[in-house]
Amino acid sequence: MVAEHTIPRTREEVELHERVRTLLDDSSQRDNPMREVLAELLERSEQQRGRLEKLVRISDGYHNVSRTQNMDLIREYDRQIMRLEKLARISDRYQSQLIALNEELKTLTLRDPLTGVGNRRFMTDRLREESERASRRGVTFSLAILDIDHFKNVNDHFGHDVGDAVLCRVVDTVRSCLRDYDVFARWGGEEFIIALPDTALDVAAAVCERVRREIEALNVSCDAVTVSVTASFGLTEHIAAESPSETINRADVALRRAKDAGRNRIFPA
Ligand SMILES: Nc1nc2c(ncn2[C@@H]2O[C@H](COP(=O)(O)OP(=O)(O)OP(=O)(O)O)[C@@H](O)[C@H]2O)c(=O)[nH]1
């Protein structure tokens, strides 16, 4: 392989080189005492040039390796950045899915799965908030416990599915009679609580009467049968400084009285 000259000669250098070569090759100059010195000088100069070219080649090689290494590092860095961006996107998605799941779980723990209304826990939380709000602002709220009459008979005569259908229709009916900010939940079995914020007993009684009448007028068709039910109500107005369970207990006593008095009626505490 012919060594590539990495240090180009200038035109003057080439000419000088040729002139010295011609002189050295000239047989008439063979006995010139300067010839030997000139030949040695040329030889030394070529060796010097050879060393310099070697140095340049090593330095170029080193430069190329380090440039390749730099390029590799930059590519690796870009790859890692892309990977990190992807991870961040996945983590964002994962986080929003977790938040949504959390919300869903929270909703599930506060909802009655059959009817879709709030459950006992939901109502307990809301009543705590409502009684705090009442004492803080000096406002009132009324609370009614609604219990479907002889519901056991519905299940016993028509089956559990019909009983479930009745529960769902009663829930829809009650909801349609309430305002958006009224609070309604299934307290357990065939028993429900209605809390009416900023509502005194007489107004609450009128709301419950409308609900009672709507339930009485219901015809629930399911599994080839049509069922009608009635409901009894124990109603009370929250007393300042009273706990939610004390309010509920008073409404419950009124409900027992409504049942004892013949059902399908509203009894105030
Ligand atoms: N289908 C159905 N029945 C339920 C559900 N939860 C409770 N029950 C039934 O509701 C009935 C309640 O019966 P009781 O407590 O004796 O009350 P009742 O028959 O309504 O009688 P009174 O309240 O005295 O008028 C029981 O038969 C329970 O099995 C439910 O989610 N679905």
Side-chain angles (χ1 to χ4, degrees), residues 168-180:
C168 291
R169 283 295 299 282
V170 166
V171 162
D172 290 345
T173 306
V174 177
R175 270 158 98 161
S176 70
C177 296
L178 300 178
R179 301 164 300 185
D180 283 347

Side-chain angles (χ1 to χ4, degrees), residues 114 147-153 155 160 163-164 167 186 189-190 256 259 263:
L114 174 68
D147 188 287
I148 302 173
D149 297 326
H150 299 305
F151 189 61
K152 188 172 181 307
N153 290 346
N155 278 330
H160 212 263
D164 283 357
L167 285 171
R186 188 173 179 190
E190 82 295 14
R256 295 299 131 209
K259 290 276 183 184
R263 296 177 173 80

